[in-house]
Amino acid sequence: MRVLLVNPPKNYRTKKNAWSYVGSNMPPLGLASIAAVLENNGHEVKILDACAEGMSVVDVVEWFARDSCWNFLGITATTPLINFALKIAEGVKQRNSEVKIVLGGVHPSVFPDRILQAPAVDFVVRGEGEFTMLELVSGNALESINGLSYLVSGKAVHTPDRELIENLDLLPMPAYHLLPMKLYRPALGAAKREPAISMLATRGCPGRCTFCFRQFGKKLRYRSGLLIAKEVKYLQDTYGIREICFYDDTFTALRKEVRDFCTELERLKVNISWSCFSRVDTFHEETFRLMRASGCHQVMFGVESASAEILKNINKRIDIDRAEHVIRSTMKMGILVRAAFMLGNMGETLETMEKTLEWALRVDPDLAVFNITTPYPGSELFDWAAENDFLTSYDWDKYDLATPILSLPTVDAETVARFYKYALRRFYLRPGKVMKIGLRMMNPRGFMQLYRGLRMMLGL
């Protein structure tokens, strides 16, 4: 079979918000993993990364019109991208009614019935897509394929959920050769060297926060640290990659694998810089020092709020005093810290948002990421907000981390929107912070990053 996999354009490109200035452009690793499995089983695959290529929905449809001899079209979609994905499906189907169109990713996994209502969509792959897609493309009987949704006589049929892939080491390396590797770039301030690319070492998270997607299970599954290090070396040797941005929810959750990764990088003599996401309750000083020695220059911690009550409401099981200690300890050992905060959580008030901002100013991490709380479908937060009529919109285009979707009894959406912009300006437009960031960026690439950051502040 000939299979075309599409990553839709990013929605923020058409908006004026913080993410339009600082947002990353990283590879669709889920599609690349599916592509590798399909290729290993004899299918012809192409990935069209419309986001990296700077293509619009119209561009994608016109591209398909020039090469429409595909048996399957697979489109991945998160909530902010679902409307673009459906428009691509509609345009493609008009040009080739025979192509089977498959939607996958988080949003279709949560709302398969709704997605199948779109006339252009033939199938929805729910959950992890590698083997569901393989069985579908290989012609297995539909009813035998776990994790698949489709219509029979206008009625949605959902086969049983597919079991999660326990041993991620059994998956082939993502099909990097099908991606436009020269077009990827990290988020503003996330990398110190380029070319940079993202990787995933785990699936799942040890946390149980109310704002996160729940479908992929509670168990944290991982790829071995040794295998990850070898993949890093391959990326450097083949594509000249100089930095890795690990986008795992909690890269540091499994101490042994982190140590194996670091020691294997040293054994392989890989000169790489890298960053990762972490939780303050997984901090271990010896491990972090080993990370620093192997090239880790930045860690992002999700703090979310300085209010113990808010942290309890969102089930973020961390202690705010512990968070301060971990951030200061990490910076002291020479690792930059990005601290992430959410504004507009359950029980939020203007006073709790001010408390969070004052905490951020006092602790003063190297970078602060302020987002507006966004109740994504598939999260406990979304269900709670929908049941209590706190959602201001079901327009998925607005679910962009910069637009208020919640109007709470304790704080209205307009107040959250104003405070969001104020928090960014207040944190970054301090003379000392501007000078500190400027001194760290005394090189041509750093200057351009600083310019982009100032443009963002002026835009807000």
Side-chain angles (χ1 to χ4, degrees):
M1 291 287 120
R2 299 190 75 223
V3 184
L4 175 65
L5 301 175
V6 174
N7 186 35
K10 278 191 178 177
N11 203 11
Y12 69 62
R13 292 180 181 276
T14 62
K15 299 182 179 182
K16 280 288 184 181
N17 61 40
W19 288 104
S20 64
Y21 293 102
V22 307
S24 64
N25 183 14
M26 286 299 187
L29 295 172
L31 290 186
S33 182
I34 291 172
V37 170
L38 293 177
E39 278 196 331
N40 281 7
N41 285 272
H43 299 287
E44 181 183 347
V45 187
K46 182 177 180 64
I47 297 177
L48 182 61
D49 190 346
C51 178
E53 300 282 0
M55 302 171 72
S56 66
V57 169
V58 172
D59 293 334
V60 174
V61 174
E62 290 179 350
W63 183 96
F64 181 85
R66 295 190 295 270
D67 183 9
S68 60
C69 297
W70 299 92
N71 304 109
F72 287 87
L73 169 66
I75 311 173
T76 187
T78 56
T79 294
L81 300 185
I82 189 60
N83 289 333
F84 282 2
L86 291 173
K87 288 176 182 177
I88 290 172
E90 180 182 1
V92 166
K93 202 73 163 183
Q94 289 175 354
R95 285 155 178 78
N96 181 354
S97 61
E98 298 300 315
V99 66
K100 298 300 181 184
I101 297 183
V102 187
L103 260 67
V106 174
H107 193 93
S109 294
V110 175
F111 294 131
D113 292 275
R114 297 186 190 183
I115 301 303
L116 288 171
Q117 291 174 9
V121 178
D122 297 291
F123 303 101
V124 169
V125 168
R126 309 187 318 272
E128 293 177 320
E130 285 89 352
F131 296 109
T132 302
M133 192 68 177
L134 174 62
E135 292 174 14
L136 177 62
V137 168
S138 300
N140 291 23
L142 298 182
E143 64 274 11
S144 72
I145 304 174
N146 288 346
L148 188 68
S149 296
Y150 54 95
L151 295 178
V152 174
S153 301
K155 183 178 180 181
V157 174
H158 308 292
T159 64
D161 291 341
R162 181 173 291 275
E163 291 187 5
L164 298 174
I165 302 169
E166 287 293 326
N167 186 356
L168 298 182
D169 284 352
L170 297 178
L171 291 173
M173 184 185 301
Y176 295 111
H177 61 285
L178 298 179
L179 297 171
M181 295 291 284
K182 294 183 179 180
L183 299 181
Y184 297 115
R185 62 174 175 79
L188 180 65
K192 69 176 184 179
R193 297 198 292 178
E194 291 187 17
I197 198 171
S198 61
M199 286 182 64
L200 289 171
T202 63
R203 292 184 182 182
C205 179
R208 301 292 179 266
C209 303
T210 62
F211 52 84
C212 277
F213 183 56
R214 300 166 300 182
Q215 185 159 331
F216 293 140
K218 297 180 179 180
K219 183 178 180 180
L220 181 68
R221 293 160 296 135
Y222 61 92
R223 301 167 66 196
S224 71
L226 299 178
L227 191 63
I228 292 295
K230 289 180 173 61
E231 188 168 317
V232 169
K233 179 171 174 54
Y234 166 82
L235 288 169
Q236 187 166 87
D237 292 346
T238 308
Y239 301 104
I241 298 299
R242 302 178 67 205
E243 172 137 356
I244 302 295
C245 303
F246 286 102
Y247 278 10
D248 306 81
D249 292 328
T250 312
F251 180 82
T252 55
L254 296 166
R255 198 175 300 166
K256 177 186 179 302
E257 298 306 326
V258 173
R259 290 177 173 178
D260 286 350
F261 168 71
C262 295
T263 54
E264 184 69 1
L265 282 182
E266 182 179 0
R267 191 188 71 80
L268 294 172
K269 294 180 172 54
V270 180
N271 179 14
I272 200 84
S273 55
W274 57 280
S275 64
C276 67
F277 297 171
S278 183
R279 285 175 57 102
V280 298
D281 52 7
T282 66
F283 175 80
H284 181 258
E285 186 168 344
E286 182 183 345
T287 301
F288 270 57
R289 290 193 182 281
L290 184 59
M291 289 163 52
R292 177 73 178 90
S294 71
C296 178
H297 71 96
Q298 185 181 120
V299 173
M300 186 172 85
F301 294 107
V303 179
E304 321 314 352
S305 176
S307 164
E309 180 182 356
I310 298 295
L311 292 174
K312 181 179 179 181
N313 289 346
I314 62 176
N315 202 30
K316 183 80 177 187
R317 297 176 292 185
I318 64 170
D319 177 77
I320 195 63
D321 292 331
R322 168 71 174 167
E324 179 174 350
H325 168 74
V326 167
I327 288 174
R328 293 189 186 281
S329 298
T330 302
M331 292 192 295
K332 187 176 180 180
M333 65 178 67
I335 299 176
L336 297 178
V337 169
R338 261 188 300 167
F341 303 94
M342 301 169 66
L343 303 171
N345 274 307
M346 300 177 183
E348 195 84 84
T349 63
L350 179 58
E351 289 72 26
T352 59
M353 290 191 295
E354 289 173 341
K355 182 177 182 179
T356 296
L357 176 57
E358 290 305 316
W359 189 92
L361 292 169
R362 180 175 58 80
V363 177
D364 199 23
D366 298 288
L367 298 167
V369 180
F370 293 96
N371 287 316
I372 293 178
T373 299
T374 303
Y376 286 112
S379 69
E380 184 180 333
L381 175 62
F382 179 87
D383 294 343
W384 171 83
E387 290 168 5
N388 289 279
D389 200 27
F390 293 151
L391 293 175
T392 63
S393 176
Y394 285 89
D395 178 358
W396 308 124
D397 288 349
K398 295 181 178 180
Y399 284 59
D400 59 5
L401 299 175
T403 303
I405 300 299
L406 294 171
S407 186
L408 303 169
T410 51
V411 65
D412 59 76
E414 291 75 16
T415 299
V416 173
R418 286 195 301 270
F419 194 87
Y420 162 69
K421 294 179 180 180
Y422 170 72
L424 284 166
R425 293 195 303 266
R426 181 78 175 85
F427 185 86
Y428 283 106
L429 296 184
R430 294 173 289 158
K433 176 60 74 174
V434 172
M435 182 177 295
K436 186 176 180 180
I437 294 176
L439 290 173
R440 201 168 65 235
M441 294 182 165
M442 294 297 288
N443 56 73
R445 180 178 171 277
F447 175 80
M448 289 305 300
Q449 287 199 337
L450 185 61
Y451 171 71
R452 284 169 60 196
L454 290 173
R455 276 190 64 198
M456 178 190 77
M457 294 304 158
L458 293 173
L460 293 174

